[in-house]
Amino acid sequence: MSIITIKDLHKVYDGTQVEVHAVNGVTLNIEEGEFSALVGPSGSGKTTLMNMLGGLDRPTSGQVMINGTDLSQLKDSELIDFRLHHIGFVFQSYNLIPVLTALENVEFIMHLQGIPSAERYARAKELLEAVGLGDRLNSRPGQLSGGQQQRVAVARALASKPRYVLADEPTANLDSHSTENLLDIMEELNRKENITFVFSTHDARVVKKAHRVIVLEDGKVISDEVRKKEVVNGPNE
Amino acid sequence: MKTDLKLAWRNLWRNKRRTIITIASIFFGVILSTYMTSMQEGSYAKMVENAVRFYSGHIQVQNEDFWENKTINNTFVETDSMKAKIASVSGIQLVVPRLESFALASSKQLTKGAMVLGVDPEKEDHLTEISKKMVRGKYLKKGSDGILMGETLAKYLQVDVGDTLVLLGQGYHGINAAGLFPIRGIFKHPSPTLDRQLIYMDLATAQDFYSADHLLTSLAMLVNEADEVPYIVNELKAKIHSPYRIMSWDEMQPELVQQINGDRDSGAIMKVILFLVIGFGILGTIIMMVAERRREFGVMVSVGMQKIRLAWMLIYETFIIGLLGILSGSLAALPILYYQYFHPIKLGGQAGQMMVDMGFEPYMYFSLAPKVFTFQVLIIFIIIMVISIYPFASALMLKENKALRA
Ligand SMILES: Nc1ncnc2c1ncn2[C@@H]1O[C@H](COP(=O)(O)OP(=O)(O)OP(=O)(O)O)[C@@H](O)[C@H]1O
Ligand SMILES: [Mg+2]
């Protein structure tokens, strides 16, 4: 079943001199349980597309449907609530609220959702343990490495039990070891909990892990290749 | 709310030094402004007290027409029921009966208009303390047939203690009032205006002179607490009606009220300017705080925080800064004012001498009244409120996709 469908999506920025067609007629279905990579050179429109997939930006034309909801029908505040309840986000860097501990950062999402504190605590702890940070619950982001911070961000993205996590270049600032580690965690969550991941990347090692690779160039999809899970998982593990 | 407050609190201490400097600017502003206000209010209170003691008392009961038309015909009798009514109002320290009218005072060659005040010598002295201001002769005794007069008036008329003064006036219902009065004493009244025209006489003697048996023109009162005057006036007004009138000191001395208000206003302008300068400092801090956290705000809104909630969090931050400044400043000012209240500043030199000449004590007095603290609190609150529009609007207008790229 398609969890996201986008139809003939366009995004035009009014540049100072010329209009930039950052996304230029993209039609895509993302299926439940996918582990997909969005790749393409710098400026190809990855971030722009991801932002529209996550309801962070509105398209110039075209449609984004998530779980049967047409995002263009939502008012700004409804869109924020929709993101809170249905989508998990991991950004490239400085994802976390610096004055909150790892645990509090994960709890923050549930706090926004109005979940009682005991439940919040238990789930946040469980999620941080799942990303291997059970011993760093009370560390502030400044006391964590880049990789650890991204793992906290993944835990936070999952706090609202979304079916769907968007990650725009989550490994861009990580060394290869941390990159591998983060990808493994994401893949495990994908496999065990059937959470859909869409992530953009430049990194060939990350692309290798994806089950589906969508290549973007000048705002257009130029290739879309689905690989078998077993093929990817098998020899690498 | 609790978590949002916690978040706001922690955010404040991210840049400790900047926050402390900002709070310190409010802190010192509050101390300075509170000190100034206390000194102002203290001196106003002293001015009022002096004015009240010079002549008017805090409150007077008069015939309702007397203030506009000060003739001996607009008088009244102090009945027992009036006495009882006044006695039933609490907070009144002293009630002083007076019969007041104008007369021509003549010595051998010279004549001058004078204000003749028939008084109960003992009670009057509690209010105006004329006995302490005698320069020659003796203060009045009850039933005395003599008079006391201001030094300036005496000089003008070229008379002195032991001489006799002729007084000519209009008595009750047009009866001629004329009499010879031995001068028993000369006082120096601190108010030059009064020193030029005031003549004191025993009440019974005055009533006899004006053919106004048992009649009074006013009952002047002294209250325990000057701040309570409005309440006491209201209570008196509820009990004493036409043909009487209740007047408070500020109605009787509008020039003094004007002078105090004028001074208060110019002080207020200075304080507002002081806090505007401080306010711009706070605004600078807040603008920086918002600017350097744009990306963070973008993340918070992206993951599902409503902008209005973010906006409130930033308002908390702004208000906490203001509140800490106000509280710490007021608390620090308190012991300083306390000390000054009990140890007023003695004025030396010319300024001090000038005050002594005017009949004042040469001290700068301080006030501990609550209003000393409220003014700056109010200004800072207003300023903080205006400043918080900036982070509030910034949060509401945040574009998360742009902020994320910041
Ligand atoms: N706010 C904007 N205003 C104008 N042009 C923009 C804006 N945001 C992005 N663009 C342009 O849109 C195009 C796509 O940008 P986008 O950030 O989506 O690329 P990207 O594939 O994510 O690049 P990178 O790999 O460097 O992150 C670029 O040409 C960029 O300059
Ligand atoms: Mg990008």
Side-chain angles (χ1 to χ4, degrees):
Chain A
M1 192 198 95
S2 293
I3 188 165
I4 308 175
T5 55
I6 52 179
K7 274 199 208 111
D8 196 24
L9 207 62
H10 289 264
K11 179 73 185 185
V12 183
Y13 290 115
D14 296 321
T16 39
Q17 276 126 29
V18 282
E19 288 190 344
V20 180
H21 227 117
V23 169
N24 194 357
V26 172
T27 300
L28 267 181
N29 285 334
I30 306 282
E31 307 295 328
E32 170 114 56
E34 270 188 16
F35 196 64
S36 311
L38 196 59
V39 298
S42 182
S44 57
K46 299 185 297 293
T47 297
T48 307
L49 181 58
M50 294 283 279
N51 282 351
M52 290 189 292
L53 286 177
L56 294 171
D57 202 355
R58 293 189 185 268
T60 310
S61 70
Q63 194 188 42
V64 180
M65 298 270 286
I66 299 177
N67 284 331
T69 304
D70 181 352
L71 295 193
S72 68
Q73 300 301 309
L74 300 180
K75 290 188 296 185
D76 283 354
S77 63
E78 292 170 338
L79 199 55
I80 294 176
D81 264 338
F82 186 85
R83 295 198 298 255
L84 175 63
H85 291 281
H86 297 280
I87 311 175
F89 290 93
V90 179
F91 302 104
Q92 182 175 330
S93 55
Y94 305 112
N95 259 299
L96 305 175
I97 301 172
V99 294
L100 298 183
T101 63
L103 189 80
E104 289 166 336
N105 262 288
V106 180
E107 280 192 74
F108 181 68
I109 302 289
M110 292 181 274
H111 167 69
L112 293 177
Q113 289 182 308
I115 291 170
S117 78
E119 189 183 335
R120 248 165 31 205
Y121 175 81
R123 179 159 171 78
K125 190 161 175 277
E126 185 185 301
L127 284 166
L128 284 168
E129 278 161 1
V131 298
L133 289 171
D135 56 339
R136 303 305 301 269
L137 299 182
N138 296 317
S139 303
R140 294 224 182 157
Q143 301 162 328
L144 297 172
S145 73
Q148 288 170 327
Q149 287 181 35
Q150 289 303 73
R151 276 144 63 191
V152 176
V154 169
R156 183 188 62 188
L158 295 172
S160 63
K161 302 189 183 168
R163 301 306 308 146
Y164 169 36
V165 173
L166 278 172
D168 189 12
E169 309 213 30
T171 61
N173 294 340
L174 302 185
D175 59 46
S176 59
H177 174 75
S178 303
T179 299
E180 184 120 350
N181 182 243
L182 190 73
L183 260 289
D184 288 345
I185 286 167
M186 283 166 47
E187 196 177 30
E188 189 178 314
L189 288 162
N190 168 254
R191 187 155 29 83
K192 282 191 184 156
E193 319 228 354
N194 204 36
I195 292 164
T196 310
F197 277 86
V198 178
F199 48 91
S200 71
T201 186
H202 280 302
D203 189 336
R205 289 164 303 178
V206 177
V207 177
K208 215 170 58 186
K209 297 248 179 192
H211 307 161
R212 176 182 177 186
V213 180
I214 302 160
V215 182
L216 216 57
E217 214 177 279
D218 291 335
K220 288 189 171 121
V221 176
I222 56 160
S223 119
D224 186 351
E225 175 198 354
V226 180
R227 308 172 192 166
K228 285 258 181 300
K229 283 191 182 187
E230 297 76 40
V231 175
V232 183
N233 290 341
N236 280 352
E237 284 183 353
Chain B
M1 164 96 183
K2 212 180 96 201
T3 307
D4 294 9
L5 265 176
K6 184 174 78 184
L7 208 58
W9 177 258
R10 288 199 198 161
N11 275 318
L12 274 185
W13 303 109
R14 261 158 93 164
N15 195 328
K16 273 203 196 69
R17 198 184 326 170
R18 186 171 67 200
T19 302
I20 285 172
I21 288 173
T22 310
I23 291 173
S25 73
I26 305 173
F27 173 84
F28 288 115
V30 167
I31 292 182
L32 185 66
S33 169
T34 309
Y35 192 83
M36 253 175 74
T37 313
S38 174
M39 197 151 83
Q40 280 177 297
E41 292 302 331
S43 65
Y44 302 155
K46 201 69 200 172
M47 276 161 76
V48 170
E49 196 191 316
N50 282 330
V52 159
R53 291 237 174 227
F54 279 179
Y55 172 63
S56 74
H58 286 113
I59 303 170
Q60 286 192 6
V61 179
Q62 303 167 353
N63 175 299
E64 61 185 344
D65 295 321
F66 179 73
W67 191 253
E68 275 73 35
N69 185 10
K70 287 185 179 158
T71 79
I72 198 79
N73 294 331
N74 291 327
T75 43
F76 63 93
V77 179
E78 186 187 18
T79 59
D80 287 344
S81 96
M82 164 92 73
K83 272 183 185 153
K85 281 172 183 168
I86 293 173
S88 73
V89 177
S90 63
I92 298 171
Q93 202 184 102
L94 183 69
V95 182
V96 180
R98 284 175 180 165
L99 179 67
E100 172 188 334
S101 191
F102 279 89
L104 284 176
S106 299
S107 59
K108 286 191 183 87
Q109 293 93 17
L110 296 156
T111 301
K112 197 172 184 298
M115 191 168 122
V116 177
L117 207 53
V119 299
D120 176 316
E122 208 168 300
K123 287 180 179 169
E124 181 70 23
D125 200 39
H126 280 300
L127 176 63
T128 53
E129 298 182 332
I130 289 295
S131 68
K132 290 186 189 161
K133 294 165 189 141
M134 300 304 296
V135 284
R136 283 191 294 284
K138 281 205 179 96
Y139 186 65
L140 283 182
K141 282 204 182 71
K142 206 176 175 89
S144 160
D145 60 350
I147 58 167
L148 306 179
M149 66 195 300
E151 196 180 22
T152 316
L153 181 62
K155 248 184 207 149
Y156 180 86
L157 294 174
Q158 296 171 4
V159 291
D160 209 336
V161 176
D163 292 344
T164 303
L165 204 64
V166 180
L167 290 178
L168 270 173
Q170 199 168 56
Y172 193 56
H173 287 314
I175 298 170
N176 273 335
L180 289 172
F181 297 92
I183 298 167
R184 291 284 145 82
I186 292 185
F187 55 81
K188 174 150 183 54
H189 200 286
S191 155
T193 319
L194 292 175
D195 203 49
R196 233 182 288 129
Q197 55 177 342
L198 204 53
I199 292 176
Y200 276 106
M201 195 184 276
D202 178 66
L203 183 60
T205 313
Q207 283 167 340
D208 189 48
F209 171 59
Y210 282 115
S211 315
D213 271 1
H214 303 298
L215 291 176
L216 301 177
T217 52
S218 62
L219 288 168
M221 297 174 213
L222 200 61
V223 304
N224 292 323
E225 292 294 333
D227 292 344
E228 286 175 9
V229 165
Y231 311 110
I232 296 174
V233 164
N234 279 343
E235 224 175 311
L236 286 171
K237 277 183 178 167
K239 290 180 177 169
I240 299 170
H241 311 278
S242 180
Y244 303 104
R245 176 178 186 179
I246 313 292
M247 286 188 93
S248 53
W249 67 266
D250 47 327
E251 283 176 278
M252 294 183 277
Q253 303 182 72
E255 325 78 40
L256 178 63
V257 175
Q258 238 170 34
Q259 190 192 339
I260 289 177
N261 284 344
D263 196 79
R264 217 183 243 137
D265 288 349
S266 54
I269 290 171
M270 281 187 45
K271 282 173 246 172
V272 167
I273 291 172
L274 171 73
F275 282 109
L276 273 181
V277 172
I278 291 170
F280 276 106
I282 306 173
L283 181 63
T285 299
I286 298 293
I287 288 176
M288 276 195 278
M289 220 161 74
V290 170
E292 63 195 21
R293 279 158 64 196
R294 254 177 74 76
R295 192 189 145 83
E296 188 181 320
F297 296 159
V299 170
M300 289 164 96
V301 172
S302 294
V303 300
M305 187 181 207
Q306 290 292 348
K307 290 172 194 172
I308 183 76
R309 190 161 181 179
L310 175 65
W312 275 107
M313 189 188 86
L314 297 181
I315 287 208
Y316 297 155
E317 292 183 24
T318 316
F319 268 81
I320 290 173
I321 289 183
L323 223 63
L324 286 180
I326 290 172
L327 279 179
S328 60
S330 299
L331 278 179
L334 205 58
I336 303 176
L337 296 193
Y338 230 83
Y339 178 83
Q340 294 287 348
Y341 181 79
F342 291 107
H343 303 90
I345 299 173
K346 189 172 165 95
L347 290 175
Q350 274 191 326
Q353 193 51 49
M354 217 167 80
M355 287 184 79
V356 173
D357 291 345
M358 283 164 64
F360 300 123
E361 293 155 83
Y363 284 98
M364 292 299 280
Y365 288 94
F366 287 76
S367 167
L368 285 176
K371 66 179 164 204
V372 165
F373 296 91
T374 47
F375 184 76
Q376 37 281 325
V377 171
L378 212 75
I379 306 182
I380 295 173
F381 248 87
I382 292 169
I383 287 177
I384 290 283
M385 230 138 78
V386 172
I387 288 175
S388 58
I389 293 172
Y390 177 80
F392 194 79
S394 304
L396 290 186
M397 294 188 306
L398 187 91
K399 295 271 171 277
E400 48 270 49
N401 56 326
K402 290 215 178 91
L404 278 176
R405 289 182 191 260

Short mmCIF file of all heavy atoms in Angstrom, two decimals, chain B residues 215-248:
data_model
loop_
_atom_site.label_atom_id
_atom_site.label_comp_id
_atom_site.label_asym_id
_atom_site.label_seq_id
_atom_site.Cartn_x
_atom_site.Cartn_y
_atom_site.Cartn_z
N LEU B 215 -19.95 81.08 67.20
CA LEU B 215 -19.83 80.75 65.78
C LEU B 215 -18.38 80.45 65.40
O LEU B 215 -17.43 81.00 65.96
CB LEU B 215 -20.35 81.89 64.92
CG LEU B 215 -21.87 82.10 64.98
CD1 LEU B 215 -22.27 83.31 64.17
CD2 LEU B 215 -22.60 80.85 64.50
N LEU B 216 -18.26 79.54 64.42
CA LEU B 216 -16.95 79.16 63.88
C LEU B 216 -16.97 79.28 62.37
O LEU B 216 -18.03 79.17 61.75
CB LEU B 216 -16.64 77.70 64.23
CG LEU B 216 -16.60 77.31 65.71
CD1 LEU B 216 -16.36 75.82 65.81
CD2 LEU B 216 -15.50 78.09 66.43
N THR B 217 -15.83 79.49 61.78
CA THR B 217 -15.76 79.39 60.32
C THR B 217 -15.21 78.03 59.89
O THR B 217 -15.44 77.59 58.78
CB THR B 217 -14.88 80.49 59.71
OG1 THR B 217 -13.61 80.48 60.38
CG2 THR B 217 -15.52 81.85 59.84
N SER B 218 -14.46 77.41 60.78
CA SER B 218 -13.94 76.10 60.38
C SER B 218 -13.52 75.28 61.58
O SER B 218 -13.23 75.80 62.64
CB SER B 218 -12.75 76.26 59.43
OG SER B 218 -11.71 76.95 60.10
N LEU B 219 -13.51 73.97 61.33
CA LEU B 219 -12.87 73.04 62.26
C LEU B 219 -11.73 72.42 61.47
O LEU B 219 -11.96 71.76 60.46
CB LEU B 219 -13.85 71.95 62.68
CG LEU B 219 -14.98 72.36 63.62
CD1 LEU B 219 -16.02 71.24 63.71
CD2 LEU B 219 -14.42 72.70 65.00
N ALA B 220 -10.50 72.70 61.88
CA ALA B 220 -9.36 72.12 61.17
C ALA B 220 -8.94 70.84 61.87
O ALA B 220 -8.90 70.79 63.09
CB ALA B 220 -8.21 73.10 61.13
N MET B 221 -8.65 69.80 61.07
CA MET B 221 -8.33 68.51 61.67
C MET B 221 -6.95 68.03 61.26
O MET B 221 -6.50 68.27 60.13
CB MET B 221 -9.32 67.45 61.23
CG MET B 221 -10.71 67.74 61.66
SD MET B 221 -11.78 66.52 60.94
CE MET B 221 -13.21 67.53 60.71
N LEU B 222 -6.36 67.29 62.18
CA LEU B 222 -5.09 66.65 61.89
C LEU B 222 -5.36 65.14 61.96
O LEU B 222 -5.99 64.67 62.91
CB LEU B 222 -4.08 67.06 62.98
CG LEU B 222 -2.61 66.90 62.67
CD1 LEU B 222 -2.22 67.76 61.48
CD2 LEU B 222 -1.79 67.30 63.90
N VAL B 223 -4.92 64.40 60.94
CA VAL B 223 -5.15 62.96 60.97
C VAL B 223 -3.86 62.24 61.35
O VAL B 223 -2.78 62.83 61.33
CB VAL B 223 -5.65 62.44 59.60
CG1 VAL B 223 -6.90 63.19 59.17
CG2 VAL B 223 -4.57 62.54 58.54
N ASN B 224 -4.00 60.95 61.68
CA ASN B 224 -2.81 60.19 62.07
C ASN B 224 -1.93 59.86 60.87
O ASN B 224 -0.72 59.98 60.92
CB ASN B 224 -3.23 58.88 62.75
CG ASN B 224 -3.87 59.15 64.09
OD1 ASN B 224 -3.45 60.06 64.82
ND2 ASN B 224 -4.90 58.39 64.42
N GLU B 225 -2.59 59.42 59.79
CA GLU B 225 -1.84 59.00 58.61
C GLU B 225 -2.28 59.84 57.41
O GLU B 225 -3.44 59.76 56.99
CB GLU B 225 -2.11 57.52 58.30
CG GLU B 225 -1.54 56.55 59.33
CD GLU B 225 -0.02 56.58 59.35
OE1 GLU B 225 0.57 56.91 58.29
OE2 GLU B 225 0.55 56.30 60.41
N ALA B 226 -1.35 60.60 56.84
CA ALA B 226 -1.70 61.49 55.74
C ALA B 226 -2.31 60.72 54.56
O ALA B 226 -3.18 61.23 53.86
CB ALA B 226 -0.46 62.26 55.26
N ASP B 227 -1.86 59.47 54.37
CA ASP B 227 -2.38 58.68 53.26
C ASP B 227 -3.87 58.38 53.40
O ASP B 227 -4.53 58.03 52.43
CB ASP B 227 -1.63 57.34 53.17
CG ASP B 227 -0.20 57.56 52.75
OD1 ASP B 227 0.10 58.66 52.25
OD2 ASP B 227 0.62 56.63 52.93
N GLU B 228 -4.36 58.47 54.64
CA GLU B 228 -5.75 58.09 54.87
C GLU B 228 -6.72 59.22 54.64
O GLU B 228 -7.94 59.02 54.75
CB GLU B 228 -5.91 57.55 56.31
CG GLU B 228 -5.32 56.16 56.47
CD GLU B 228 -5.37 55.67 57.90
OE1 GLU B 228 -6.02 56.34 58.73
OE2 GLU B 228 -4.76 54.63 58.18
N VAL B 229 -6.20 60.41 54.34
CA VAL B 229 -7.07 61.58 54.20
C VAL B 229 -8.27 61.32 53.27
O VAL B 229 -9.40 61.59 53.64
CB VAL B 229 -6.26 62.82 53.75
CG1 VAL B 229 -7.17 63.93 53.25
CG2 VAL B 229 -5.41 63.31 54.90
N PRO B 230 -8.05 60.73 52.09
CA PRO B 230 -9.20 60.54 51.18
C PRO B 230 -10.31 59.68 51.80
O PRO B 230 -11.49 59.97 51.62
CB PRO B 230 -8.60 59.83 49.98
CG PRO B 230 -7.14 60.10 50.04
CD PRO B 230 -6.79 60.31 51.47
N TYR B 231 -9.89 58.64 52.53
CA TYR B 231 -10.90 57.76 53.14
C TYR B 231 -11.66 58.50 54.24
O TYR B 231 -12.87 58.40 54.36
CB TYR B 231 -10.25 56.50 53.71
CG TYR B 231 -9.33 55.84 52.73
CD1 TYR B 231 -7.95 55.84 52.91
CD2 TYR B 231 -9.85 55.22 51.58
CE1 TYR B 231 -7.11 55.25 51.98
CE2 TYR B 231 -9.01 54.63 50.66
CZ TYR B 231 -7.64 54.65 50.86
OH TYR B 231 -6.81 54.08 49.95
N ILE B 232 -10.88 59.23 55.05
CA ILE B 232 -11.51 59.95 56.15
C ILE B 232 -12.46 61.02 55.60
O ILE B 232 -13.56 61.19 56.10
CB ILE B 232 -10.44 60.57 57.07
CG1 ILE B 232 -9.64 59.43 57.73
CG2 ILE B 232 -11.07 61.47 58.12
CD1 ILE B 232 -8.46 59.88 58.55
N VAL B 233 -12.03 61.68 54.54
CA VAL B 233 -12.90 62.68 53.91
C VAL B 233 -14.21 62.03 53.45
O VAL B 233 -15.30 62.55 53.70
CB VAL B 233 -12.18 63.35 52.72
CG1 VAL B 233 -13.16 64.09 51.82
CG2 VAL B 233 -11.11 64.31 53.23
N ASN B 234 -14.09 60.87 52.82
CA ASN B 234 -15.30 60.18 52.36
C ASN B 234 -16.23 59.84 53.50
O ASN B 234 -17.44 60.00 53.41
CB ASN B 234 -14.93 58.89 51.62
CG ASN B 234 -14.54 59.19 50.19
OD1 ASN B 234 -14.84 60.27 49.68
ND2 ASN B 234 -13.86 58.25 49.55
N GLU B 235 -15.61 59.38 54.58
CA GLU B 235 -16.43 59.00 55.73
C GLU B 235 -17.13 60.22 56.33
O GLU B 235 -18.32 60.16 56.67
CB GLU B 235 -15.52 58.34 56.78
CG GLU B 235 -16.11 57.09 57.38
CD GLU B 235 -15.12 56.41 58.32
OE1 GLU B 235 -13.95 56.22 57.91
OE2 GLU B 235 -15.51 56.12 59.46
N LEU B 236 -16.38 61.31 56.41
CA LEU B 236 -16.96 62.55 56.95
C LEU B 236 -18.08 63.05 56.04
O LEU B 236 -19.14 63.48 56.51
CB LEU B 236 -15.89 63.63 57.09
CG LEU B 236 -14.90 63.45 58.24
CD1 LEU B 236 -13.77 64.47 58.11
CD2 LEU B 236 -15.61 63.62 59.59
N LYS B 237 -17.84 62.95 54.73
CA LYS B 237 -18.85 63.44 53.78
C LYS B 237 -20.13 62.64 53.88
O LYS B 237 -21.22 63.16 53.65
CB LYS B 237 -18.30 63.37 52.35
CG LYS B 237 -17.44 64.57 51.99
CD LYS B 237 -16.97 64.52 50.56
CE LYS B 237 -16.16 65.76 50.24
NZ LYS B 237 -15.42 65.65 48.97
N ALA B 238 -19.97 61.34 54.22
CA ALA B 238 -21.16 60.51 54.34
C ALA B 238 -21.99 60.90 55.57
O ALA B 238 -23.19 60.66 55.61
CB ALA B 238 -20.76 59.03 54.42
N LYS B 239 -21.33 61.50 56.54
CA LYS B 239 -22.03 61.80 57.80
C LYS B 239 -22.44 63.25 57.91
O LYS B 239 -23.42 63.58 58.57
CB LYS B 239 -21.13 61.45 58.99
CG LYS B 239 -20.95 59.96 59.12
CD LYS B 239 -20.08 59.58 60.28
CE LYS B 239 -20.03 58.06 60.37
NZ LYS B 239 -19.03 57.56 61.27
N ILE B 240 -21.65 64.13 57.31
CA ILE B 240 -21.89 65.56 57.49
C ILE B 240 -22.29 66.16 56.14
O ILE B 240 -21.52 66.11 55.18
CB ILE B 240 -20.63 66.25 58.04
CG1 ILE B 240 -20.29 65.65 59.40
CG2 ILE B 240 -20.82 67.76 58.13
CD1 ILE B 240 -18.94 66.07 59.93
N HIS B 241 -23.50 66.68 56.08
CA HIS B 241 -23.99 67.17 54.79
C HIS B 241 -24.19 68.68 54.85
O HIS B 241 -23.82 69.33 55.81
CB HIS B 241 -25.32 66.48 54.46
CG HIS B 241 -25.26 65.00 54.63
ND1 HIS B 241 -24.76 64.16 53.66
CD2 HIS B 241 -25.62 64.20 55.67
CE1 HIS B 241 -24.83 62.92 54.10
NE2 HIS B 241 -25.33 62.91 55.32
N SER B 242 -24.82 69.18 53.82
CA SER B 242 -25.18 70.59 53.73
C SER B 242 -25.90 71.00 55.01
O SER B 242 -26.67 70.20 55.57
CB SER B 242 -26.10 70.74 52.51
OG SER B 242 -26.48 72.08 52.37
N PRO B 243 -25.69 72.16 55.56
CA PRO B 243 -24.94 73.30 55.01
C PRO B 243 -23.45 73.28 55.34
O PRO B 243 -22.82 74.33 55.37
CB PRO B 243 -25.62 74.48 55.68
CG PRO B 243 -26.01 73.95 57.02
CD PRO B 243 -26.33 72.50 56.83
N TYR B 244 -22.90 72.08 55.55
CA TYR B 244 -21.47 72.02 55.85
C TYR B 244 -20.72 71.51 54.63
O TYR B 244 -21.29 70.89 53.74
CB TYR B 244 -21.20 71.08 57.03
CG TYR B 244 -21.94 71.50 58.27
CD1 TYR B 244 -23.07 70.81 58.68
CD2 TYR B 244 -21.51 72.60 59.00
CE1 TYR B 244 -23.76 71.20 59.80
CE2 TYR B 244 -22.21 73.00 60.12
CZ TYR B 244 -23.34 72.31 60.52
OH TYR B 244 -24.02 72.71 61.61
N ARG B 245 -19.45 71.74 54.66
CA ARG B 245 -18.63 71.26 53.56
C ARG B 245 -17.35 70.68 54.15
O ARG B 245 -16.77 71.25 55.08
CB ARG B 245 -18.28 72.43 52.65
CG ARG B 245 -17.35 72.04 51.52
CD ARG B 245 -17.10 73.23 50.64
NE ARG B 245 -16.31 72.85 49.48
CZ ARG B 245 -15.96 73.70 48.53
NH1 ARG B 245 -16.33 74.97 48.62
NH2 ARG B 245 -15.23 73.29 47.52
N ILE B 246 -16.91 69.56 53.57
CA ILE B 246 -15.65 68.94 54.01
C ILE B 246 -14.60 69.23 52.94
O ILE B 246 -14.82 68.95 51.77
CB ILE B 246 -15.80 67.40 54.12
CG1 ILE B 246 -17.07 67.01 54.88
CG2 ILE B 246 -14.56 66.78 54.72
CD1 ILE B 246 -17.05 67.37 56.33
N MET B 247 -13.51 69.80 53.33
CA MET B 247 -12.43 70.06 52.36
C MET B 247 -11.14 69.41 52.82
O MET B 247 -10.79 69.46 54.01
CB MET B 247 -12.19 71.57 52.21
CG MET B 247 -13.27 72.26 51.41
SD MET B 247 -12.80 73.96 51.07
CE MET B 247 -12.02 73.80 49.48
N SER B 248 -10.42 68.82 51.87
CA SER B 248 -9.13 68.23 52.23
C SER B 248 -8.02 69.21 51.87
O SER B 248 -8.22 70.17 51.14
CB SER B 248 -8.94 66.91 51.48
OG SER B 248 -9.13 67.12 50.11
#
